[in-house]
Amino acid sequence: MWRRGIVTAVVCVALAGVLFLHSDIPNRIGNLGSLTETFLPWLGLVLPVLLVVAVLRRSTTALIALVLPVAVWSNLFGGLLLDKSRSGGDLTVLTHNVNADNPDPDATARDVAAAGADVVALEELPESQARRYASDLAAAYPYHSVQGTVGLWSKYPLSGVRPVDIRMGWTRAMRAAVSTPDGPVAVYVAHLPSVRVKFDAGFTAGQRDRAADALGRAITSEPLHSVVLLGDLNGTMNDRALASVTSQMRSTQGAAGNGMGFSWPASWPMARIDQILVKGAEPRSSWTLPKTGSDHLPVAARLQLPGGKD
């Protein structure tokens, strides 16, 4: 009886090992560790398959072994399945990679404006369309700045606007201080380099990793207490390569979201690579918005600032 289903039991133990020790999977060969961490939540889909096999095999051994990966996956991601959103907050922020090949940027701009956020960050802005977005959003957002291919729109005045060097050779990140009624907030907008999965090279993410390190150093040096990072980081919170950023900031989705909050690809979201990260502010709620003409979903969050009323 105990030998029946031994192979299934071994698979259960191996899966638990990958989930529990994912940070120890080396990146030396094709960035395998980062690739695994990008899609780590999806390993949970293997659990019901293993359960069915264990039941069909009538294997007590496999069922006992299955407890291990179930426990580890639940510890890592079970909390994300709960609704942690709360009422309140005094600043709503939104970020959206609008896609340089967006077939209808005007409609996308209208969708963004209709969300009613106080601060909006847009990434992947082609120079030929930046003015169209500025014109479409002007009525709702009197203050804005575009730096390279990223832009920031705000209902409140902006100051200290500058590009942020993330070692790419052109501008894909910026910083501005937003003068909210509850005090100044440093807002960073970033679009880190894309990653690719190649048969001969694995998970090619070297340029993104270097850009993340540069962005992390810039945020570490930020003098303002409240900091918000909005953007497409081309990586998830589990990806160790983004640790220079994620180790010092909180994910609004992780702290106050409902569900996984996957944002890409918009047609069938599989990963949350569009992020809202904060420090010196309390996330109250976080959510994804309906699909626009982009291949990313917009994501938004409601924040409680230290100077605001709870």
Side-chain angles (χ1 to χ4, degrees):
M1 178 184 69
W2 293 102
R3 292 180 180 178
R4 186 185 302 130
I6 192 68
V7 173
T8 305
V10 170
V11 173
C12 290
V13 174
L15 178 59
V18 171
L19 289 166
F20 186 71
L21 301 172
H22 64 87
S23 60
D24 294 322
I25 299 174
N27 258 344
R28 291 188 298 273
I29 302 175
N31 284 307
L32 182 60
S34 287
L35 177 60
T36 302
E37 289 167 336
T38 298
F39 299 102
L40 199 63
W42 290 95
L43 292 181
L45 294 180
V46 182
L47 299 176
V49 176
L50 292 173
L51 175 61
V52 171
V53 173
V55 171
L56 292 177
R57 291 285 294 158
R58 299 179 182 178
S59 171
T60 303
T61 302
L63 288 172
I64 293 175
L66 183 59
V67 173
L68 287 174
V70 169
V72 178
W73 190 93
S74 298
N75 181 64
L76 289 172
F77 304 111
L80 293 176
L81 301 179
L82 305 175
D83 185 357
K84 299 177 292 298
S85 60
R86 295 171 290 166
S87 60
D90 40 43
L91 183 71
T92 302
V93 296
L94 181 151
T95 182
H96 189 24
N97 180 325
V98 295
N99 186 2
D101 297 321
N102 191 320
D104 195 347
D106 296 314
T108 296
R110 289 193 296 270
D111 291 340
V112 167
D118 301 306
V119 176
V120 169
L122 300 182
E123 303 86 47
E124 206 169 300
L125 283 170
E127 184 178 356
S128 59
Q129 295 181 3
R131 290 184 179 180
R132 293 178 65 179
Y133 281 103
S135 176
D136 291 336
L137 295 172
Y141 300 98
Y143 309 98
H144 92 279
S145 174
V146 174
Q147 303 287 323
T149 61
V150 297
L152 186 66
W153 279 258
S154 173
K155 294 181 179 180
Y156 308 120
L158 303 177
S159 62
V161 179
R162 58 175 173 81
V164 175
D165 182 9
I166 56 173
R167 302 174 60 186
M168 291 190 61
W170 69 96
T171 301
R172 288 197 5 172
M174 63 176 290
R175 177 265 186 197
V178 179
S179 300
T180 78
D182 301 302
V185 178
V187 177
Y188 286 76
V189 184
H191 182 196
L192 298 189
S194 299
V195 297
R196 298 287 186 269
V197 180
K198 299 180 179 179
F199 180 77
D200 58 343
F203 192 57
T204 57
Q207 189 179 32
R208 183 210 58 179
D209 299 349
R210 292 189 293 272
D213 289 342
L215 179 61
R217 288 193 294 271
I219 293 173
T220 299
S221 303
E222 173 56 50
L224 291 181
H225 174 72
S226 297
V227 185
V228 178
L229 170 60
L230 306 169
D232 174 5
L233 303 189
N234 270 306
T236 68
M237 291 298 291
N238 299 109
D239 191 336
R240 79 202 57 182
L242 303 184
S244 59
V245 174
T246 57
S247 63
Q248 59 178 317
M249 308 188 81
R250 300 174 68 193
S251 163
T252 59
Q253 184 67 26
N258 180 12
M260 295 291 186
F262 295 149
S263 63
W264 177 89
S267 57
W268 187 269
M270 296 183 64
R272 185 179 179 88
I273 63 174
D274 301 277
Q275 306 287 357
I276 300 177
L277 307 182
V278 300
K279 67 176 180 178
E282 183 66 25
R284 290 292 189 177
S285 56
S286 186
W287 63 97
T288 57
L289 284 78
K291 187 179 184 302
T292 69
S294 172
D295 57 342
H296 293 244
L297 295 179
V299 298
R302 185 78 173 157
L303 311 175
Q304 181 72 42
L305 300 179
K309 295 182 180 180
D310 196 342

